[in-house]
């Protein structure tokens, strides 16, 4: 079920689906993986996976 989740832009009125190519930064810590995506609209969205 969680394999079907997609990252979506958090920018105002954007909601574009973020692709792997949009990922600009990956950081792995004991708390999980953080990814920063930059959308074509200029907004940055951060995701967290444990």
């Amino acid at each position: 079920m969680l394999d079907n989740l997609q990252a979506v832009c958090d920018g105002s009125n954007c909601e574009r689906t973020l692709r792997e190519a949009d990922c600009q930064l990956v950081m792995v810590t004991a708390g999980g993986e953080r990814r920063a995506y930059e959308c074509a609209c200029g907004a940055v969205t951060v995701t967290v996976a444990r």
Side-chain angles (χ1 to χ4, degrees), residues 6-35:
Q6 293 183 341
V8 177
C9 179
D10 198 30
S12 180
N13 299 317
C14 183
E15 297 185 9
R16 286 183 179 107
T17 298
L18 298 170
R19 302 165 298 145
E20 189 67 31
D22 300 320
C23 185
Q24 300 296 311
L25 177 69
V26 177
M27 185 174 77
V28 179
T29 67
E33 181 178 275
R34 278 87 168 139
R35 290 180 175 230

Side-chain angles (χ1 to χ4, degrees), residues 31-45:
E33 181 178 275
R34 278 87 168 139
R35 290 180 175 230
Y37 295 87
E38 184 174 5
C39 182
C41 75
V44 174
T45 301

